[in-house]
Amino acid sequence: MINLPKSVDILESGPRDGIQNETTFIPTAKKLELINALSETGLKRIEATSFVSPKHVPQMADATEVYQNMMKKNDIQYLALIPNLRGFELAKKAGVREIALVAGASETFNKNNVRMSVEESLRQLSIVNETAKEEGMFVRFSIATSFFCPYEGLVSQETVLAMVKELEEMKVNEIVLCDTIGRANPKQVYELFSRVLDQGPTAKITAHLHDTYGLSKANSLAALHAGVSSFDTAIGGLGGCPFAPGAAGNDSTEDFVFMLHEMGIQTGVHFEKLMDCVKLVKSMTKRSLTGHLQQITNKGHVQTVS
Ligand SMILES: CC(C)(COP(=O)([O-])OP(=O)([O-])OC[C@H]1O[C@@H](n2cnc3c(N)ncnc32)[C@H](O)[C@@H]1OP(=O)([O-])[O-])[C@@H](O)C(=O)NCCC(=O)NCCSC(=O)C[C@@](C)(O)CC(=O)[O-]
């Protein structure tokens, strides 16, 4: 195989992207238990919560309580998602130092997700970015619907490349290309990430892939081949944006870590401890999860070579 990195960075987005889509409210204490357990697995990046409207996403109504009471290890980046200026104010008040901004590449998705045009999102979030940078915060920016929009269909590569250019001009620290509805195929993923990386971006480039059509692992391999070494995943394969109809969960962290370790690619993650987190997620959500490995552990032991 060509172009494979020796190690990969994983951002665990289960506590945010994963839990936001759960219909039954998960008690704050359970969210804290999960974040604390994930903090012991060797993962170095955790998206802990989001400062969004509790009317629109009731599951994240306890963002401040979660952020202020969770374990915070010095060597772990704990991010919070922010959609607008108000979210930034609330996050700052809670003590957040690492922020994850989001806007869609597609107009209809963005209006449904954050009730703003893409232009208005970029206007508000560039103010957030400037203030955050002055205050020494880490800023990542997710481009939702980088491949397909649930309302408009295929999103053109040119639209996404123009947005990447704008984010590079804003000097955000990280740009995340998201397959929000898990509809992209490996060829599209390879091409778009290759085109972005060919421009020599200064921002870290990350892939955020959902598994709706069962292609998230093939898509992550395509992104690896394109030169991406930073990925978002969610424990148990939880997740999906409540404003992207039909979106299934994220690529599952344990399956992705398993694949990477089997390929000799390091993640720094302790596999058994990660599987303990899957058990925790199962007990929290009380429903069947979509990750593959947890289905094997139901029947026996996962065979690993690493
Ligand atoms: C953006 C808004 C808030 C606009 O919602 P809105 O109703 O248009 O907000 P508004 O500005 O009209 O304000 C209405 C009320 O909400 C309050 N408000 C205003 N902003 C906030 C805030 N940030 N946090 C808490 N409260 C807020 C504001 O203070 C006001 O309170 P009131 O005066 O009525 O008491 C809403 O549409 C929203 O919360 N959207 C977020 C939706 C969301 O969380 N989506 C999922 C995350 S994105 C995602 O999952 C995709 C991603 C990142 O994973 C990548 C991928 O897969 O593509």
Side-chain angles (χ1 to χ4, degrees):
M1 286 203 187
I2 47 162
N3 279 342
L4 290 176
K6 288 198 167 39
S7 66
V8 156
D9 276 357
I10 295 177
L11 178 140
E12 169 55 50
S13 66
R16 195 281 302 168
D17 193 341
I19 286 178
Q20 74 181 7
N21 214 20
E22 289 298 314
T23 44
T24 309
F25 187 78
I26 295 175
T28 308
K30 284 279 169 204
K31 290 172 183 155
L32 293 173
E33 196 183 340
L34 176 62
I35 294 169
N36 295 350
L38 288 165
S39 296
E40 301 290 3
T41 60
L43 282 160
K44 294 290 174 240
R45 311 186 77 202
I46 298 175
E47 194 177 22
T49 188
S50 58
F51 289 84
V52 297
S53 159
K55 227 183 324 170
H56 296 287
V57 190
Q59 193 63 257
M60 297 284 115
D62 54 1
T64 296
E65 212 181 334
V66 166
Y67 190 84
Q68 290 187 335
N69 292 295
M70 68 196 197
M71 174 190 288
K72 292 187 200 72
K73 287 190 162 186
N74 288 337
D75 61 344
I76 298 181
Q77 224 184 8
Y78 294 97
L79 294 109
L81 182 127
I82 289 164
N84 61 0
L85 283 162
R86 177 80 185 125
F88 183 52
E89 281 167 25
L90 295 170
K92 264 203 328 183
K93 212 163 148 203
V96 175
R97 299 287 304 156
E98 284 132 347
I99 59 175
L101 310 180
V102 61
S106 110
E107 207 57 65
T108 316
F109 171 77
N110 205 57
K111 285 216 177 82
N112 275 279
N113 194 37
V114 292
R115 297 171 179 259
M116 289 183 271
S117 64
V118 176
E119 193 184 351
E120 176 58 12
S121 271
L122 287 170
R123 190 193 70 77
Q124 287 202 21
L125 296 178
S126 65
I127 298 169
V128 169
N129 174 58
E130 244 169 68
T131 315
K133 289 312 230 356
E134 276 163 22
E135 298 184 15
M137 296 183 180
F138 179 90
V139 182
R140 92 181 202 135
F141 199 118
S142 293
I143 306 179
T145 60
S146 284
F147 298 89
F148 280 89
C149 166
Y151 310 98
E152 295 177 24
L154 184 69
V155 172
S156 85
Q157 290 187 359
E158 307 314 319
T159 303
V160 179
L161 291 172
M163 214 157 154
V164 168
K165 188 165 176 269
E166 201 164 333
L167 298 180
E168 276 281 279
E169 281 162 11
M170 280 164 57
K171 298 195 178 355
V172 299
N173 301 105
E174 179 179 6
I175 299 171
V176 190
L177 303 189
C178 310
D179 182 19
T180 309
I181 57 166
R183 175 68 183 82
N185 68 51
K187 184 168 179 282
Q188 290 164 324
V189 169
Y190 180 82
E191 278 175 9
L192 185 60
F193 278 103
S194 297
R195 288 186 74 183
V196 169
L197 291 170
D198 280 353
Q199 292 174 358
T202 51
K204 177 187 181 92
I205 301 297
T206 296
H208 177 111
L209 304 164
H210 285 259
D211 200 31
T212 319
Y213 288 77
L215 290 177
S216 68
K217 210 68 75 230
N219 286 340
S220 46
L221 188 59
L224 282 165
H225 275 274
V228 177
S229 59
S230 174
F231 289 81
D232 293 356
T233 56
I235 193 84
L238 290 177
C241 174
F243 306 96
N250 288 265
D251 196 14
S252 97
T253 308
E254 66 277 12
D255 292 358
F256 187 51
V257 166
F258 176 81
M259 180 182 98
L260 293 173
H261 287 186
E262 292 294 303
M263 290 165 75
I265 298 173
Q266 291 172 15
T267 63
V269 175
H270 189 289
F271 186 72
E272 305 300 332
K273 288 185 182 171
L274 196 62
M275 291 309 288
D276 288 341
C277 293
V278 179
K279 281 188 205 144
L280 196 57
V281 165
K282 257 189 185 172
S283 71
M284 279 166 60
T285 55
K286 298 190 180 67
R287 66 171 177 85
S288 52
L289 300 173
T290 54
H292 288 276
L293 292 193
Q294 52 89 24
Q295 294 169 37
I296 301 170
T297 45
N298 282 344
K299 295 177 194 133
H301 190 66
V302 176
Q303 285 186 356
T304 56
V305 292
S306 44

Coordinates of all heavy atoms in Angstrom, one line a residue, residues 16-17 20 50-57 81 83-84 86-88 90 102 109 112-116 142-145 178-180 208 210 240-243 250, ligand 1:
R16 N -20.3 14.3 21.9 CA -21.1 15.4 21.3 C -21.9 14.8 20.1 O -23.1 14.7 20.2 CB -20.1 16.5 20.9 CG -20.8 17.8 20.5 CD -21.4 17.9 19.2 NE -20.5 17.6 18.1 CZ -20.8 17.4 16.8 NH1 -22.1 17.5 16.5 NH2 -19.9 17.2 15.9
D17 N -21.2 14.5 19.0 CA -21.9 14.1 17.8 C -22.7 12.8 18.1 O -23.8 12.6 17.6 CB -20.9 13.9 16.7 CG -21.6 13.7 15.3 OD1 -22.8 13.5 15.2 OD2 -20.9 13.9 14.3
Q20 N -25.7 13.6 20.9 CA -26.7 14.7 20.5 C -28.0 14.1 19.8 O -29.0 14.7 19.8 CB -26.1 15.7 19.5 CG -25.8 15.2 18.1 CD -25.2 16.3 17.2 OE1 -24.7 17.3 17.7 NE2 -25.0 15.9 15.9
S50 N -21.7 20.4 23.1 CA -21.9 21.6 22.2 C -22.7 22.6 22.9 O -23.6 22.3 23.7 CB -22.6 21.1 20.9 OG -23.8 20.5 21.2
F51 N -22.4 23.9 22.6 CA -23.2 25.0 23.2 C -24.1 25.5 22.1 O -23.9 26.4 21.3 CB -22.2 26.1 23.6 CG -21.4 25.7 24.9 CD1 -20.3 24.9 24.8 CD2 -21.9 26.1 26.1 CE1 -19.6 24.5 25.9 CE2 -21.3 25.7 27.3 CZ -20.1 24.9 27.2
V52 N -25.3 24.8 22.1 CA -26.3 25.0 21.1 C -27.6 25.2 21.8 O -27.7 25.1 23.0 CB -26.4 23.8 20.1 CG1 -25.1 23.7 19.3 CG2 -26.7 22.5 20.8
S53 N -28.6 25.6 21.0 CA -29.9 25.9 21.6 C -30.5 24.7 22.3 O -30.8 23.7 21.6 CB -30.8 26.5 20.6 OG -32.2 26.4 21.0
P54 N -30.9 24.7 23.5 CA -31.5 23.5 24.2 C -32.9 23.3 23.6 O -33.4 22.2 23.7 CB -31.6 23.9 25.7 CG -31.3 25.4 25.7 CD -30.6 25.8 24.5
K55 N -33.4 24.3 23.0 CA -34.7 24.1 22.3 C -34.6 23.2 21.1 O -35.4 22.3 20.8 CB -35.3 25.4 21.9 CG -36.8 25.6 22.3 CD -37.4 26.9 21.8 CE -36.5 28.1 21.8 NZ -37.0 29.3 21.1
H56 N -33.5 23.4 20.4 CA -33.3 22.6 19.1 C -32.6 21.3 19.4 O -32.8 20.3 18.7 CB -32.4 23.4 18.2 CG -33.1 24.7 17.7 ND1 -34.1 24.7 16.8 CD2 -32.9 26.0 18.0 CE1 -34.6 25.9 16.6 NE2 -33.8 26.7 17.3
V57 N -31.7 21.3 20.4 CA -31.0 20.0 20.7 C -31.0 19.8 22.3 O -30.0 20.1 23.0 CB -29.5 20.0 20.2 CG1 -28.9 18.6 20.3 CG2 -29.4 20.5 18.8
L81 N -18.4 22.1 20.6 CA -18.9 22.7 19.3 C -19.7 24.0 19.5 O -20.5 24.1 20.5 CB -19.8 21.6 18.6 CG -20.4 22.1 17.3 CD1 -20.1 21.0 16.2 CD2 -21.9 22.3 17.3
P83 N -22.0 27.0 17.3 CA -22.6 27.3 16.0 C -22.7 28.8 15.7 O -22.9 29.2 14.6 CB -24.0 26.7 16.1 CG -24.4 26.9 17.5 CD -23.1 26.8 18.3
N84 N -22.6 29.6 16.8 CA -22.8 31.1 16.6 C -22.2 31.9 17.7 O -21.5 31.3 18.6 CB -24.3 31.3 16.5 CG -25.1 30.9 17.8 OD1 -24.5 30.4 18.8 ND2 -26.4 31.1 17.8
R86 N -23.5 33.5 20.2 CA -24.1 33.3 21.5 C -23.5 32.0 22.1 O -23.1 31.9 23.3 CB -25.6 33.1 21.4 CG -26.3 32.7 22.7 CD -26.6 33.9 23.6 NE -27.1 33.5 24.9 CZ -26.6 33.8 26.1 NH1 -25.5 34.5 26.1 NH2 -27.2 33.4 27.2
G87 N -23.3 31.0 21.3 CA -22.7 29.7 21.8 C -21.2 30.0 22.2 O -20.8 29.4 23.2
F88 N -20.5 30.9 21.6 CA -19.2 31.2 22.0 C -19.2 31.9 23.3 O -18.3 31.6 24.2 CB -18.5 32.1 20.9 CG -17.1 32.5 21.2 CD1 -16.2 31.5 21.4 CD2 -16.7 33.8 21.2 CE1 -14.8 31.8 21.7 CE2 -15.3 34.1 21.4 CZ -14.4 33.1 21.7
L90 N -21.3 31.6 25.7 CA -21.6 30.6 26.8 C -20.4 29.6 27.0 O -20.1 29.3 28.1 CB -22.9 29.7 26.3 CG -24.2 30.5 26.3 CD1 -25.3 29.7 25.6 CD2 -24.6 31.0 27.7
V102 N -18.8 25.2 13.2 CA -19.4 24.5 12.1 C -20.3 25.4 11.2 O -21.0 26.2 11.7 CB -20.2 23.3 12.6 CG1 -21.4 23.7 13.5 CG2 -20.8 22.4 11.5
F109 N -28.9 22.9 4.0 CA -28.6 22.2 5.2 C -28.2 23.2 6.3 O -28.7 23.1 7.4 CB -27.3 21.3 5.0 CG -26.8 20.8 6.3 CD1 -27.5 19.8 7.0 CD2 -25.7 21.3 6.9 CE1 -27.0 19.3 8.2 CE2 -25.2 20.9 8.1 CZ -25.9 19.9 8.8
N112 N -31.2 24.7 7.8 CA -31.9 23.8 8.7 C -31.1 23.5 10.0 O -31.7 23.3 11.1 CB -32.1 22.4 8.0 CG -33.4 22.4 7.2 OD1 -34.5 22.3 7.7 ND2 -33.3 22.7 5.9
N113 N -29.8 23.5 9.9 CA -29.0 23.2 11.0 C -28.9 24.3 12.0 O -29.0 24.2 13.2 CB -27.6 22.7 10.6 CG -26.8 22.0 11.6 OD1 -27.4 21.3 12.5 ND2 -25.5 22.3 11.7
V114 N -28.6 25.5 11.5 CA -28.2 26.6 12.4 C -29.1 27.9 12.1 O -28.8 29.0 12.7 CB -26.7 27.0 12.4 CG1 -25.9 25.9 13.0 CG2 -26.2 27.3 11.0
R115 N -30.1 27.7 11.2 CA -31.0 28.8 10.9 C -30.4 30.1 10.4 O -30.7 31.2 10.8 CB -31.9 29.1 12.2 CG -32.7 27.9 12.5 CD -33.4 28.0 13.8 NE -34.2 26.8 13.9 CZ -35.5 26.7 13.7 NH1 -36.2 27.7 13.3 NH2 -36.1 25.5 13.8
M116 N -29.3 29.9 9.7 CA -28.6 31.1 9.1 C -28.2 30.7 7.6 O -28.0 29.5 7.3 CB -27.3 31.4 9.8 CG -27.5 32.0 11.2 SD -25.9 32.4 12.0 CE -25.5 30.8 12.8
S142 N -15.5 22.9 11.1 CA -16.1 21.7 10.3 C -16.9 22.3 9.1 O -17.8 23.1 9.4 CB -16.9 20.9 11.2 OG -16.2 20.2 12.2
I143 N -16.6 21.8 8.0 CA -17.5 22.0 6.8 C -18.4 20.9 6.7 O -18.1 19.8 6.2 CB -16.7 22.2 5.5 CG1 -15.6 23.3 5.7 CG2 -17.6 22.6 4.4 CD1 -14.7 23.5 4.5
A144 N -19.7 21.0 7.2 CA -20.6 20.0 7.1 C -21.1 19.9 5.6 O -21.0 20.9 4.9 CB -21.8 20.3 8.0
T145 N -21.7 18.8 5.2 CA -22.1 18.5 3.9 C -21.0 18.8 2.8 O -21.3 19.5 1.8 CB -23.4 19.2 3.5 OG1 -23.2 20.6 3.7 CG2 -24.6 18.8 4.4
C178 N -16.6 17.1 6.2 CA -17.5 16.1 6.8 C -18.4 15.5 5.7 O -19.1 16.2 5.0 CB -18.4 16.8 7.8 SG -17.5 17.8 9.0
D179 N -18.6 14.2 5.8 CA -19.6 13.5 5.0 C -20.8 13.3 5.9 O -21.0 12.2 6.5 CB -19.0 12.2 4.5 CG -20.0 11.4 3.6 OD1 -21.0 12.1 3.1 OD2 -19.9 10.2 3.4
T180 N -21.5 14.4 6.1 CA -22.6 14.4 7.1 C -23.6 13.3 7.0 O -24.1 12.8 8.0 CB -23.3 15.8 6.9 OG1 -22.3 16.8 6.9 CG2 -24.3 16.1 8.0
H208 N -14.2 13.6 8.7 CA -15.3 13.2 9.6 C -16.3 12.4 8.7 O -17.0 13.0 7.9 CB -15.9 14.5 10.1 CG -17.1 14.4 11.0 ND1 -17.0 14.6 12.4 CD2 -18.4 14.0 10.7 CE1 -18.2 14.4 12.9 NE2 -19.1 14.1 11.9
H210 N -19.4 9.5 8.1 CA -20.5 8.8 8.7 C -20.7 7.5 7.9 O -20.2 7.3 6.8 CB -21.8 9.6 8.7 CG -21.8 10.7 9.8 ND1 -22.5 10.6 10.9 CD2 -21.2 11.9 9.9 CE1 -22.3 11.6 11.7 NE2 -21.5 12.4 11.1
G240 N -24.9 11.2 14.4 CA -25.7 11.7 13.3 C -26.2 13.1 13.7 O -26.5 13.4 14.8
C241 N -26.3 13.9 12.7 CA -26.8 15.3 12.9 C -28.4 15.3 12.9 O -29.0 14.8 12.0 CB -26.3 16.2 11.9 SG -27.0 17.9 12.0
P242 N -29.0 15.8 14.0 CA -30.5 15.8 14.0 C -31.1 16.6 12.9 O -32.3 16.4 12.6 CB -30.8 16.5 15.3 CG -29.5 16.5 16.1 CD -28.4 16.4 15.2
F243 N -30.3 17.4 12.2 CA -30.9 18.2 11.1 C -30.4 17.7 9.7 O -30.5 18.5 8.7 CB -30.5 19.7 11.3 CG -31.0 20.1 12.7 CD1 -30.1 20.1 13.8 CD2 -32.3 20.5 12.9 CE1 -30.5 20.4 15.1 CE2 -32.7 20.8 14.2 CZ -31.8 20.8 15.3
N250 N -21.5 7.9 13.1 CA -20.1 8.1 12.7 C -19.4 6.8 12.5 O -19.8 5.7 13.0 CB -19.4 8.9 13.8 CG -19.8 10.3 13.9 OD1 -19.2 11.2 13.3 ND2 -20.9 10.5 14.6
Ligands
LIG1 C1 -27.8 28.1 16.0 C2 -29.1 28.1 16.7 C3 -28.8 28.4 18.2 C4 -30.0 29.2 16.2 O1 -31.3 29.0 16.7 P1 -32.3 30.2 16.7 O2 -33.6 29.8 17.3 O3 -32.4 30.8 15.3 O4 -31.6 31.3 17.6 P2 -31.8 32.8 17.9 O5 -30.5 33.4 17.6 O6 -33.1 33.3 17.2 O7 -32.1 32.8 19.4 C5 -33.3 32.1 20.0 C6 -32.9 31.8 21.4 O8 -31.9 30.8 21.5 C7 -30.8 31.3 22.3 N1 -29.5 30.9 21.6 C8 -29.0 31.3 20.5 N2 -27.9 30.7 20.3 C9 -27.7 29.8 21.3 C10 -26.6 28.9 21.6 N3 -25.6 28.7 20.8 N4 -26.7 28.2 22.7 C11 -27.8 28.4 23.6 N5 -28.8 29.2 23.3 C12 -28.7 29.9 22.2 C13 -30.9 32.8 22.2 O9 -30.3 33.4 23.3 C14 -32.4 33.0 22.3 O10 -32.9 32.7 23.6 P3 -34.2 33.5 24.2 O11 -33.9 34.9 24.0 O12 -35.3 33.0 23.3 O13 -34.2 33.0 25.6 C15 -29.8 26.8 16.6 O14 -30.3 26.6 15.3 C16 -29.0 25.6 17.1 O15 -28.7 25.4 18.2 N6 -28.4 24.9 16.1 C17 -27.4 23.9 16.4 C18 -27.9 22.6 15.7 C19 -26.9 21.5 16.1 O16 -26.5 21.4 17.2 N7 -26.6 20.7 15.1 C20 -25.8 19.6 15.3 C21 -24.3 20.0 15.3 S1 -23.6 20.1 13.7 C22 -23.3 18.5 13.3 O17 -23.7 17.6 13.9 C23 -22.5 18.3 12.1 C24 -21.1 17.9 12.4 C25 -20.3 19.0 13.1 O18 -21.0 16.8 13.3 C26 -20.3 17.5 11.2 C27 -21.0 16.7 10.2 O19 -21.2 15.5 10.4 O20 -21.4 17.2 9.2

